[in-house]
Structures are given as structure tokens and as C-alpha cells.
């Protein structure tokens, strides 16, 4: 039984929130660097799943391209911040900036996109199934690499 797309995306948001908490609490440099990499990878994958699957399905169900356009721009900005992490002198500051931006975006996503998706009659279970399939495909590719 496929999970509701919004529940899946929200559990990604929460997972990253937990990783950011772990990052802040981690004492040694290697652990922090590892967590920073996982945070960036999780956010990148999450943004990709939304852009490839959820946002187009939302735009189709609601006829609203503008919300999706704004969300894509916010993702773009986040990706620019993520791209700077490998060369960041201040890893704490870099992760903090990413999370501050991500949180703002997540709040908008919740308020504008998810709320509207629920009332639109969008096929959330079907879209959730597609998200799960795509995530598994990407995970398999990453493991092969
Ligand atoms: Fe998003
Ligand atoms: Fe999201």
C-alpha cells in the first residue's frame, strides 16, 4: 500500500531536521562533516523528487504553476548554498544558512502547496507510490556507484 505523498515528503523534512540537530550536537569534526554531507544529500534528493514528481502532479491537479515556480526558485537557491558546502571555511555557518532557508521553504510548502494539494483531490497515494519507486531507483544507482 503506497503512502500518501505529503506524509512521505513531511517525513523527509523531519528526517533532515533530526540530522541538523545531530549535526549541532556532534562533537568531533569527522562526524560533523559526515552529517553535513548526509544533510546535503537528503535535501538534494528530496528537492529532486518534488521537482520531478510532486510539483508537476500538483500543478496538473490545481492548474497553479505559480506556487511551483516559486518553490523551484527556492530549491535553486538551496542548491547554490549546498554547492558551497565542500569549500566552506565555516561548516556550521554553511549548514545553518541551508537549514534556515530550507525551513522557510518547508513552511511555505506546508501552508501553500500541501494544504492546497489536500483540498484539490490530487491522487496523493498514487503520487506517493511514484515518489517511493523513484527514491528506490536513485538509492540503487548511488549504491552501484
Ligand atoms: Fe520543496
Ligand atoms: Fe519539501
Amino acid at each position: 500500500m503506497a503512502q500518501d505523498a505529503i506524509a512521505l515528503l513531511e517525513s523527509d523534512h523531519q528526517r533532515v531536521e533530526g540530522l541538523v540537530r545531530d549535526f549541532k550536537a556532534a562533537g568531533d569534526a569527522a562526524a560533523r562533516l559526515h552529517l553535513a554531507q548526509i544533510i546535503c544529500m537528503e535535501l538534494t534528493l528530496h528537492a529532486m523528487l518534488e521537482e520531478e514528481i510532486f510539483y508537476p502532479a500538483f500543478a496538473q491537479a490545481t492548474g497553479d504553476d505559480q506556487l511551483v515556480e516559486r518553490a523551484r526558485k527556492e530549491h535553486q537557491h538551496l542548491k547554490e548554498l549546498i554547492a558551497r558546502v565542500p569549500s566552506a571555511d565555516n561548516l556550521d555557518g554553511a549548514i545553518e544558512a541551508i537549514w534556515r532557508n530550507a525551513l522557510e521553504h518547508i513552511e511555505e510548502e506546508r501552508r501553500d502547496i500541501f494544504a492546497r494539494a489536500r483540498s484539490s483531490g490530487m491522487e496523493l497515494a498514487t503520487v506517493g507510490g511514484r515518489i517511493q519507486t523513484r527514491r528506490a531507483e536513485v538509492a540503487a544507482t548511488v549504491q552501484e556507484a
Side-chain angles (χ1 to χ4, degrees):
M1 171 71 192
Q3 264 201 64
D4 175 311
I6 293 174
L8 279 174
L9 295 173
E10 285 287 22
S11 75
D12 284 353
H13 296 159
Q14 275 159 25
R15 189 164 53 249
V16 177
E17 186 167 14
L19 287 164
V20 171
R21 222 178 293 127
D22 293 346
F23 170 83
K24 285 182 182 161
D28 76 271
R32 293 167 79 78
L33 187 60
H34 181 62
L35 283 162
Q37 285 165 342
I38 298 175
I39 289 165
C40 293
M41 211 177 63
E42 289 280 350
L43 282 173
T44 304
L45 175 59
H46 176 82
M48 189 192 96
L49 294 169
E50 286 182 342
E51 287 171 23
E52 276 188 14
I53 300 169
F54 188 83
Y55 290 170
F58 173 85
Q60 202 180 29
T62 61
D64 190 331
D65 291 329
Q66 278 183 357
L67 284 174
V68 163
E69 202 40 54
R70 191 181 65 189
R72 284 182 192 276
K73 281 198 186 123
E74 290 168 0
H75 282 188
Q76 195 46 48
H77 181 56
L78 269 167
K79 284 177 211 170
E80 285 160 20
L81 295 176
I82 287 170
R84 288 186 214 151
V85 167
S87 61
D89 294 327
N90 174 1
L91 190 62
D92 282 13
I95 293 296
E96 205 166 293
I98 287 169
W99 183 238
R100 201 172 44 237
N101 275 273
L103 205 52
E104 229 170 81
H105 168 69
I106 288 167
E107 277 160 11
E108 275 179 25
E109 210 157 58
R110 255 177 214 146
R111 190 185 58 224
D112 300 333
I113 297 184
F114 292 171
R116 185 109 180 259
R118 285 203 193 283
S119 61
S120 72
M122 192 175 154
E123 295 278 356
L124 291 171
T126 308
V127 177
R130 288 171 53 209
I131 290 173
Q132 279 177 310
T133 305
R134 184 73 179 117
R135 177 188 286 283
E137 274 171 21
V138 175
T141 323
V142 171
Q143 272 165 13
E144 277 163 26

